[in-house]
Amino acid sequence: MEIEKHWQADWKENHLFEVDMPENGDLTTEELHAKYPKWMGTFPYPYMNGSLHLGHGFSISKIEFATGWECLKGKRALFPLSFHVTGMPIKASADKIAHELELFGPNFELPKEDDSEILSEKVEGMSVDVTPKAGANFKAKKTKVAAKSGGAKYQFQIMQAQGISNEEIAKFANMQYWLKYYPPIAMADLNSLGCKIDWRRTFLTTEHNPYYDSFARWQFQHLLDMNKIKFGEHLTVWSAKDVQPCMDHDHQSGEGVGLQEYTGIKLEVLQWSEQGS
């Protein structure tokens, strides 16, 4: 570990993974590419509603290995990485913290007679029976949401399990705080892993980076002008609370529940009297 940390510090001090565009001088584009072969790779921006997990580590190990391999072959290997912070999950989690502050106060003290156990039983009762090909009966004890939360019933409990103090957790009621808290932790974890990332190029996918926002707008407008995309309509889940579409991974609860079709029957209630119908 000491050797690892020593060389990681050396890499950082010498800006080993920072890749700049070479001076082309009088070279043509083809000559420039031949003299300074380049390679770039990245992977989908991780979402910052929590720390990076094993799935991120598995995926990033592939691009990390590829970056090192291309660098060993003499290429200017660029590995940029940014963070995804738009969408509903952060807002939903921030709303949960705000609501739990109202319910339990700044110290998140649960009442003695908490009905969370009853709620947990109801959630587990919604599990689906699965019959494997081997013929053995298996019943899932937890829904997908329960499995992802690690058994915690409230958002503040999930964050307490990460070692965050109650005073700090209260700050997460503000959506902007998520953007400040988790990205530096992710960067530290990836540096500890030894990833060859050029952090000068990192950003957040919000209005905090107007350049990326402009690029995304330009991209879609360009595709529209080329008739590669068009406007249309399709059914989607709508959040009445947030007044916007809510995809499955954005759900605060009810993950895995898709569109439901109902048939409404209107009944006319007639008043009955003893004198006759």
Side-chain angles (χ1 to χ4, degrees):
M1 291 295 293
E2 290 183 9
I3 295 174
E4 182 179 79
K5 297 305 177 185
H6 167 78
W7 287 110
Q8 288 177 357
D10 182 80
W11 298 341
K12 182 178 180 180
E13 182 180 351
N14 291 285
H15 308 282
L16 193 62
F17 307 137
E18 295 180 3
V19 181
D20 294 318
M21 179 181 291
E23 297 291 336
N24 63 341
D26 297 327
L27 299 176
T28 65
T29 301
E30 291 75 15
E31 292 171 336
L32 185 68
H33 288 172
K35 185 175 181 180
Y36 304 103
K38 63 179 180 178
W39 181 91
M40 189 195 84
T42 186
F43 87 126
Y45 314 142
Y47 195 80
M48 288 288 99
N49 62 338
S51 298
L52 300 180
H53 51 69
L54 186 60
H56 291 117
F58 174 77
S59 298
I60 208 168
S61 65
K62 300 182 179 183
I63 188 70
E64 159 64 17
F65 180 87
T67 305
W69 174 243
E70 296 297 335
C71 184
L72 287 172
K73 293 195 293 184
K75 295 183 181 179
R76 294 169 21 280
L78 173 62
F79 180 8
L81 184 64
S82 296
F83 300 108
H84 183 201
V85 293
T86 54
M88 294 288 289
I90 286 178
K91 184 181 186 307
S93 297
D95 288 346
K96 284 183 180 180
I97 293 295
H99 182 59
E100 290 165 12
L101 280 169
E102 295 177 0
L103 289 176
F104 311 125
N107 293 324
F108 298 102
E109 297 177 355
L110 293 174
K112 292 182 179 179
E113 296 181 359
D114 183 30
D115 63 353
S116 57
E117 290 295 335
I118 300 175
L119 176 62
S120 178
E121 291 177 3
K122 289 183 178 180
V123 171
E124 289 191 3
M126 296 169 61
S127 301
V128 180
D129 286 321
V130 180
T131 304
K133 292 182 179 180
N137 290 327
F138 169 80
K139 185 172 182 178
K141 293 184 178 180
K142 293 185 178 180
T143 62
K144 184 178 179 182
V145 175
K148 290 172 68 175
S149 65
K153 302 177 182 66
Y154 297 103
Q155 182 66 39
F156 78 86
Q157 292 175 322
I158 297 174
M159 308 188 85
Q160 285 176 338
Q162 299 176 29
I164 305 175
S165 67
N166 289 341
E167 182 180 2
E168 191 89 38
I169 292 173
K171 299 177 183 178
F172 285 88
N174 181 348
M175 289 185 296
Q176 299 299 320
Y177 195 72
W178 297 74
L179 280 57
K180 299 177 182 178
Y181 187 86
Y182 282 114
I185 294 177
M187 294 173 70
D189 288 343
L190 292 171
N191 287 334
S192 180
L193 191 62
C195 292
K196 305 171 183 63
I197 299 173
D198 187 345
W199 287 117
R200 299 174 304 165
R201 304 172 185 273
T202 192
F203 56 83
L204 303 178
T205 58
T206 65
E207 59 188 11
H208 289 279
N209 190 290
Y211 299 103
Y212 184 81
D213 183 67
S214 297
F215 165 70
R217 291 176 182 273
W218 170 85
Q219 194 174 40
F220 276 94
Q221 185 61 52
H222 195 61
L223 291 171
L224 180 64
D225 294 340
M226 297 172 62
N227 294 319
K228 298 295 184 180
I229 58 174
K230 64 180 181 179
F231 287 103
E233 296 180 352
H234 66 90
L235 297 175
T236 187
V237 176
W238 177 263
S239 171
K241 179 180 178 182
D242 300 299
V243 196
Q244 70 174 47
C246 185
M247 300 297 101
D248 184 59
H249 62 280
D250 295 331
H251 291 179
Q252 184 171 340
S253 61
E255 188 174 5
V257 178
L259 295 170
Q260 306 293 309
E261 183 175 347
Y262 296 90
T263 300
I265 301 176
K266 184 177 181 181
L267 300 176
E268 183 179 0
V269 179
L270 301 178
Q271 186 172 3
W272 179 85
S273 83
E274 296 180 357
Q275 298 178 353
S277 58

